[in-house]
Amino acid sequence: MSNALLSTDAGAWDPKRHRAGIVHIGIGAFHRAHQAVYTDAALAAKGGDWRIIGVSLRSTDIADALNDQDGLYHVIVRYPDGAKVQQIRSLSHVLAASRGIEPVLAALAAPATRIVTITVTEKAYGIDRASGGIVADHPAIAHDLHHPGEPSGLIGILVEGLRRRRDAGLHPFTVLSCDNLPENGVLLRAGVIDFARRLDATLADWIARNGAFPSSMVDRITPAATAKTAADVLTLTGHEDLAAVETEPFSQWVIEDHFPLGRPAWEIGGALLVGDVKPYEHMKLRMLNGSHSLIAYLGVLAGYRYVRDVMADPQFAALVRQHLASAAATLEPLPGIDFAVYGDDLVERFKNPEIAHETRQIAMDGTEKLPQRILIPVCEALRDGKPIGSFALAVAAWMAAMKMLSDQEGLAGISDPRAHDIFDAASTASDAGSLYDHLSRLPGLFPGELLASTIWQQAVTRRLHLILSSGARAVVLAETGVADQGIS
Ligand code: CS2
């Protein structure tokens, strides 16, 4: 692979000649390796005032690093046999919300802002998945309902930005969620309108009538950047870059094409603009993210630090293939896509030896991730008489990992918005049966249909028992039929 700096052709576009048209909330590694790259390609090819103003909700470091570099940074693309570097110039500057929310609200209310994109991770939404209503005791929601003019969380910030636009006689910006949530646009719309209604019914009606909240499916495996990321950029380009990110070659973005105020030509960078994102989103959440969670919990239990380590173990890799097939079996056909080929490609992506993706990173926030990745698809599989074994194993592995981390590291070892509940449940459970009971009864987490199913309960507890008594490898061997007896 070439190690040359792949700067977007410097002659083709001058970033300074393009104004910002997008505000992006959540300027983490994923945004910098994904949407900002598509926007860069669109700007380079088609121009337009579509540069991005980033908003960092908590950290100030990344805002400082990017602002010191005039918004420029590098993306290292790690191929199995080497790396390429790309310089990204679509980012204008970054606002650190923790230093003051006013500049953020002013950017949202600016007439030039036509799109607000979002990557804040699942737990920052504070929206109840089933009802679409806001979760009133979510910390940011609770704060923002009391201080709507000085919001601190995603929904409060969006609603205050929209209120200012309504009062100024502007159109609402289009809100584009890029988080791994099912029907993310539909969910966000419902949450924003519910929040607004609690403050001002006419505002809620105005948003309901005029607002646009397209859904999108995003995909690019992007491990957290480390000191090695910056060191490699320095070696490869000669540039010091404290905001560099590293990612895999694969990238996908499927977007519902509903942008009343226009959008960048994201298709130039390979985005797929469609009428209905849902089938793509199901495929990705269930096959990629579901397998990721399975890999993460088994990896944590087996002492494998990275996804690639789990995949280098043939039995674990066989199990992942088994889960990919079971997850694919829950999907509606998607014209033009062969799920078996998609699954084969996923296995290769997970195996990429150059991607150091920590199982502990993916294992975070299980209560936010398991529903769409595992629990809802397995309800469908149960109903249709399809295989449920690997889904049950994913849940057993989550439960066992929560127990192991509680016992070994205490509350601090559980990284989840419901860490207290998980820790209480896991640390007081003494065997597979009680661990299953305690964790599956966390309010609102498991669908009633699963709680009522003895088939499901037995499928999980049998696997959980085997993990607790004989370890993760034993359950993997049993599952893949390598041990004397498979698990049914
Ligand atoms: C991962 C995702 O951390 C996780 O939960 O499953 O971040 C995954 O890497 C991305 O969705 C890939 O597009």
Side-chain angles (χ1 to χ4, degrees):
M1 284 296 146
S2 142
N3 283 341
L5 170 66
L6 291 184
S7 164
T8 323
D9 180 6
W13 73 291
D14 172 5
K16 294 268 179 286
R17 296 180 58 185
H18 299 269
R19 293 198 309 154
I22 299 174
V23 172
H24 181 81
I25 303 180
I27 194 78
F30 184 72
H31 172 70
R32 307 207 298 285
H34 192 273
Q35 302 97 52
V37 177
Y38 285 84
T39 305
D40 193 82
L43 282 164
K46 296 271 177 150
D49 286 332
W50 288 117
R51 290 185 80 208
I52 302 166
I53 298 174
V55 175
S56 169
L57 285 181
R58 287 184 309 269
S59 136
T60 51
D61 290 358
I62 192 61
D64 292 344
L66 281 161
N67 290 334
D68 284 352
Q69 299 174 186
D70 277 338
L72 298 185
Y73 66 93
H74 297 83
V75 175
I76 304 186
V77 182
R78 296 208 187 273
Y79 292 79
D81 57 353
K84 284 187 181 177
V85 185
Q86 190 179 2
Q87 190 189 56
I88 300 301
R89 298 184 291 172
S90 52
L91 193 62
S92 162
H93 59 281
V94 181
L95 304 169
S98 60
R99 290 204 181 111
I101 199 64
E102 198 46 43
V104 175
L105 297 171
L108 291 177
T113 298
R114 283 155 290 157
I115 300 178
V116 175
T117 52
I118 296 158
T119 51
V120 289
T121 81
E122 298 88 338
K123 63 176 172 255
Y125 281 72
I127 305 174
D128 181 71
R129 309 275 175 84
S131 68
I134 51 170
V135 178
D137 61 357
H138 181 278
I141 298 275
H143 171 273
D144 295 354
L145 279 174
H146 287 103
H147 308 278
E150 287 170 25
S152 60
L154 173 69
I155 307 293
I157 290 173
L158 289 174
V159 170
E160 177 60 8
L162 288 165
R163 186 193 66 75
R164 291 186 182 198
R165 293 179 81 93
R166 191 242 353 225
D167 292 354
L170 295 170
H171 287 286
F173 40 69
T174 300
V175 185
L176 181 63
S177 165
C178 301
D179 280 300
N180 285 321
L181 283 162
E183 297 190 80
N184 48 19
V186 177
L187 185 79
L188 188 50
R189 178 179 191 277
V192 163
I193 292 174
D194 184 34
F195 184 99
R197 193 164 300 286
R198 294 176 195 226
L199 301 170
D200 171 353
T202 60
L203 175 63
D205 292 340
W206 179 80
I207 298 171
R209 254 194 330 273
N210 303 299
F213 296 79
S215 289
S216 82
M217 177 271 250
V218 292
D219 188 10
R220 197 168 204 187
I221 292 173
T222 305
T226 63
K228 182 172 183 314
T229 318
D232 286 355
V233 168
L234 185 59
T235 313
L236 294 167
T237 69
H239 292 290
E240 218 169 57
D241 181 350
L242 298 180
V245 291
E246 58 177 86
T247 188
E248 63 169 342
F250 182 92
S251 185
Q252 192 174 31
W253 196 7
V254 185
I255 310 168
E256 181 185 341
D257 201 1
H258 178 45
F259 292 83
L261 303 187
R263 60 166 172 81
W266 282 318
E267 62 275 16
I268 299 280
L272 193 59
L273 280 300
V274 299
D276 183 9
V277 174
K278 204 163 153 186
Y280 295 92
E281 177 195 276
H282 276 179
M283 172 183 79
K284 193 258 172 173
L285 286 171
R286 295 177 181 198
M287 291 185 71
L288 188 155
N289 296 112
S291 302
H292 245 180
S293 292
L294 176 67
I295 292 169
Y297 296 118
L298 287 174
V300 166
L301 290 165
Y304 286 133
R305 180 162 181 200
Y306 298 117
V307 170
R308 66 186 183 203
D309 302 336
V310 177
M311 297 304 289
D313 183 319
Q315 264 75 53
F316 283 65
L319 176 76
V320 172
R321 283 189 178 279
Q322 218 165 287
H323 183 64
L324 285 167
S326 300
T330 70
L331 301 172
E332 297 292 328
L334 186 49
I337 297 195
D338 179 339
F339 296 135
V341 173
Y342 180 76
D344 288 344
D345 292 346
L346 286 178
V347 169
E348 291 313 308
R349 292 170 62 194
F350 294 156
K351 279 186 175 164
N352 186 337
E354 292 297 306
I355 295 286
H357 201 184
E358 298 218 15
T359 50
R360 281 291 282 258
Q361 184 187 342
I362 302 166
M364 281 170 31
D365 300 344
T367 59
E368 294 283 333
K369 295 174 177 174
L370 288 173
Q372 58 275 21
R373 297 178 180 202
I374 303 290
L375 305 178
I376 293 167
V378 80
C379 285
E380 294 172 19
L382 260 176
R383 249 177 263 151
D384 298 342
K386 294 185 173 154
I388 63 159
S390 59
F391 293 99
L393 178 53
V395 169
W398 171 68
M399 291 179 167
M402 294 303 103
K403 171 89 183 136
M404 187 185 97
L405 295 171
S406 299
D407 291 350
Q408 292 179 357
E409 301 175 20
L411 178 60
I414 310 289
S415 198
D416 192 290
R418 300 179 75 172
H420 279 100
D421 294 345
I422 294 174
F423 177 72
D424 288 347
S427 53
T428 52
S430 52
D431 58 12
S434 59
L435 186 55
Y436 172 86
D437 280 344
H438 291 182
L439 283 173
S440 62
R441 292 197 187 279
L442 290 184
L445 181 58
F446 281 70
E449 200 177 330
L450 284 185
L451 293 176
S453 163
T454 5
I455 298 179
W456 168 254
Q457 186 227 342
Q458 286 171 2
V460 178
T461 46
R462 249 200 319 270
R463 289 167 174 86
L464 189 49
H465 176 73
L466 191 52
I467 302 176
L468 297 179
S469 59
S470 311
R473 169 163 295 278
V475 81
V476 170
L477 296 186
E479 200 78 37
T480 50
V482 175
D484 293 346
Q485 278 177 308
I487 287 193
S488 58

